[in-house]
Amino acid sequence: MAFENLSNKLQQVFQQLRGKGRLTEGDVKTAMREVKLALLEADVNFKIVKQFVAKVSERAIGSDVMESLTPGQQVIKIVNEELVALMGSTQSKLTFSAKPPTVYLMVGLQGAGKTTSSGKLAGLLKKEGRRPLLVACDVYRPAAIKQLQVVGEHFGIPVFTMGDQVSPVQIAQKALEEAKKNQNDVVLIDTAGRLHINEELMEELKEIKAAVHPQEILLVVDAMTGQDAVTVAQSFNDQLGVDGIIMTKLDGDARGGAALSVRAVTQKPIKFIGMGEKMEDLEPFYPDRMAGRILGMGDVLSLIEKAQSNLDEKMAREMEKKMRENDFTLEDFLTQMQQIKKMGPIKDLLGMLPGMGQLNLDALNQVDADKEMRRVEAIIQSMTPQERQNPAILNGPRKKRIAQGCGRSIADVNRLLKQFDDMKKMMKQMNAMTKGKKGRFKFPFA
């Protein structure tokens, strides 16, 4: 999970602060020393760490905090505000040309995920009602053109290509003509990368830039490379001029140093982040939401957005109605689980809930969580439609048959049935509590 190590360490520091009724200057200095170590271990740029800790310390030792009734909470609030400022304060959106098509030049080193990110971004823009065109300008890497075509096909987006024997500058120019002819209002140019920054790469990108005058140059960097990502961003910005950054593989970076450093070092905003392997796993970057995740405050807005984009709203409302009428079956239980699985790893979803960050999410092994969901699915799928609709008929012989059918034990079957009964009882109690009240209880994602 993104920032997992940093998040755990910071929350340990803040737990100690919360436990003190009054804070001394020594308490704050000790806490800031731990924060500094946590940030350095997260591979955050040393200069950025030094500046960050100095700002927080200066504010935290002020009389407003030291004399507060909840000084620990005040310090956490300051850290949150400074984290948000460090990552850019507000969401930075794409800008669009007054006269279409709007051109985005996608740049970055080989292996950062540039081609896939180009397709994912085109997919997001298509959802917003735009008509994007992908352009294959990487004529050097084997299968780069084919890869872009596969991504484009997934989202139903056309890909302009002239093969690998034409210069990237010519391809980009012809693509603009094609976009105007076909009324594509957005053009995303996937350029070639190298294993490292060199003069040849930069010269080619400068030529493409001069030929098509992009609205924005978007740099794709790999979060897993830590401070190397910051160095790459700085070099591209110095030589080419970058308007925004797309940070890939952030979900796999437990440290998070790149995300916390790159904006502060380059003064260029992170516009999107890659948070998974699925084609749809590209999200707008919100500094305030990310700070909330790091500090264990949750990120309910992102969770709601995930639910809205992944779950079937009509199905959710039908499920809510069944729960209210106490007509919720094992078939419905299975359907709801399969819907929630679409939203991503359970551990990441829990990390978005306020307060969950204060729990030890390390104890929730993602492999075990996924295994548990597969176990439940296997048991329910081994039942007959009649048994799913009416679990009360499940006697000893039926449970034995179900257990043998899915390769589980009778104890596993009984445990699932108990979980299901407990959930139904809880729903019944909630219905009773809210009965007659003006505001009805809303079930999750309904």
Side-chain angles (χ1 to χ4, degrees):
M1 190 169 73
F3 300 102
E4 189 169 1
N5 296 347
L6 175 62
S7 182
N8 289 340
K9 284 182 175 149
L10 288 180
Q11 286 171 49
Q12 286 171 14
V13 174
F14 297 145
Q15 197 64 41
Q16 294 170 0
L17 288 178
R18 284 192 191 97
K20 295 178 181 288
R22 287 271 183 248
L23 290 184
T24 65
E25 194 170 317
D27 292 330
V28 173
K29 284 182 177 176
T30 300
M32 288 305 104
R33 190 161 54 244
E34 293 297 321
V35 169
K36 182 179 180 180
L37 286 172
L39 290 169
L40 290 172
E41 284 177 24
D43 202 20
V44 179
N45 180 279
F46 176 73
K47 286 182 181 176
I48 302 303
V49 173
K50 195 175 176 184
Q51 291 167 6
F52 179 83
V53 171
K55 282 182 184 176
V56 174
S57 298
E58 184 183 352
R59 291 181 62 190
I61 294 173
S63 60
D64 287 350
V65 173
M66 304 304 281
E67 295 172 14
S68 164
L69 292 174
T70 55
Q73 289 295 121
Q74 292 296 317
V75 173
I76 296 167
K77 182 173 179 285
I78 291 168
V79 171
N80 179 57
E81 289 169 357
E82 292 299 332
L83 270 179
V84 173
L86 186 67
M87 291 187 284
S89 296
T90 57
Q91 181 204 5
S92 180
K93 296 183 179 182
L94 291 175
T95 60
F96 293 90
S97 172
K99 186 181 178 184
T102 298
V103 179
Y104 299 116
L105 189 62
M106 310 292 287
V107 302
L109 294 185
Q110 193 172 310
K114 184 164 24 62
T115 300
T116 307
S117 294
S118 298
K120 288 180 175 181
L121 180 54
L124 281 178
L125 291 168
K126 185 181 178 183
K127 271 188 177 178
E128 292 175 4
R130 300 189 183 273
R131 300 185 71 247
L133 174 69
L134 287 162
V135 183
C137 277
D138 184 351
V139 297
Y140 309 107
R141 182 168 62 89
I145 295 171
K146 180 63 179 173
Q147 184 187 352
L148 191 65
Q149 288 172 328
V150 169
V151 176
E153 188 178 343
H154 175 85
F155 290 107
I157 294 167
V159 176
F160 181 83
T161 175
M162 296 175 69
D164 57 7
Q165 301 301 312
V166 184
S167 82
V169 176
Q170 283 181 287
I171 296 170
Q173 288 173 322
K174 287 287 184 185
L176 275 188
E177 293 174 19
E178 185 75 8
K180 288 172 185 174
K181 187 171 76 177
N182 295 321
Q183 295 185 317
N184 296 105
D185 54 4
V186 176
V187 175
L188 296 103
I189 301 176
D190 179 34
T191 63
R194 300 286 190 280
L195 294 175
H196 57 276
I197 294 168
N198 59 25
E199 192 176 329
E200 183 187 1
L201 168 66
M202 285 302 170
E203 195 54 44
E204 180 176 286
L205 293 175
K206 285 174 186 175
E207 288 176 9
I208 298 174
K209 177 183 177 181
V212 299
H213 306 291
Q215 175 75 11
E216 291 193 17
I217 296 177
L218 299 174
L219 172 66
V220 181
V221 295
D222 180 350
M224 301 286 282
T225 58
Q227 285 308 295
D228 284 345
V230 180
T231 306
V232 166
Q234 187 72 68
S235 298
F236 268 90
N237 189 46
D238 290 345
Q239 297 187 56
L240 196 64
V242 169
D243 297 290
I245 293 163
I246 296 177
M247 189 162 285
T248 62
K249 307 173 193 176
L250 191 59
D251 58 309
D253 181 21
R255 296 176 303 170
L260 288 173
S261 304
V262 73
R263 195 268 172 194
V265 170
T266 65
Q267 291 302 299
K268 300 299 178 182
I270 300 172
K271 296 207 171 192
F272 296 92
I273 50 175
M275 292 297 287
E277 295 178 2
K278 290 194 297 184
M279 282 295 186
E280 289 72 24
D281 289 336
L282 186 72
E283 304 174 5
F285 181 70
Y286 297 90
D288 54 342
R289 297 187 191 183
M290 193 55 71
R293 289 193 209 185
I294 294 170
L295 299 179
M297 297 172 181
D299 181 4
V300 175
L301 287 175
S302 291
L303 184 61
I304 290 168
E305 285 169 6
K306 266 185 176 290
Q308 287 174 336
S309 61
N310 286 283
L311 302 186
D312 185 314
E313 187 178 349
K314 184 183 175 187
M315 190 180 290
R317 294 196 181 283
E318 286 174 0
M319 208 70 74
E320 181 189 12
K321 184 170 181 279
K322 287 189 173 194
M323 285 176 170
R324 290 190 193 289
E325 295 172 356
N326 205 23
D327 189 28
F328 192 69
T329 67
L330 281 165
E331 187 79 62
D332 299 322
F333 187 44
L334 176 63
T335 301
Q336 192 168 58
M337 279 186 59
Q338 290 168 338
Q339 286 277 301
I340 291 170
K341 273 175 69 177
K342 291 180 186 177
M343 293 172 61
I346 299 297
K347 189 175 179 182
D348 289 355
L349 297 180
L350 288 176
M352 293 182 187
L353 294 172
M356 288 303 292
Q358 294 168 26
L359 302 178
N360 181 14
L361 288 183
D362 285 337
L364 177 63
N365 186 301
Q366 183 55 48
V367 176
D368 290 343
D370 289 341
K371 208 183 276 184
E372 176 69 12
M373 290 191 86
R374 286 197 298 273
R375 178 187 69 80
V376 171
E377 283 181 325
I379 293 172
I380 297 176
Q381 285 168 346
S382 292
M383 297 176 185
T384 65
Q386 186 187 13
E387 288 166 345
R388 294 182 202 178
Q389 291 294 323
N390 184 17
I393 66 173
L394 289 172
N395 54 20
R398 284 177 184 266
K399 289 177 184 177
K400 186 177 179 182
R401 189 205 76 245
I402 291 164
Q404 288 174 339
C406 63
R408 310 300 306 185
S409 68
I410 294 175
D412 286 332
V413 177
N414 285 330
R415 187 162 70 250
L416 168 63
L417 293 172
K418 186 178 185 309
Q419 288 172 346
F420 179 68
D421 282 339
D422 288 346
M423 189 185 72
K424 286 192 77 173
K425 284 176 189 172
M426 182 186 73
M427 295 304 169
K428 195 173 181 180
Q429 287 171 354
M430 285 181 173
N431 280 335
M433 286 167 60
T434 57
K435 200 171 184 182
K437 291 186 180 179
K438 192 175 180 181
R440 296 196 313 160
F441 172 76
K442 293 298 289 180
F443 288 96
F445 315 123

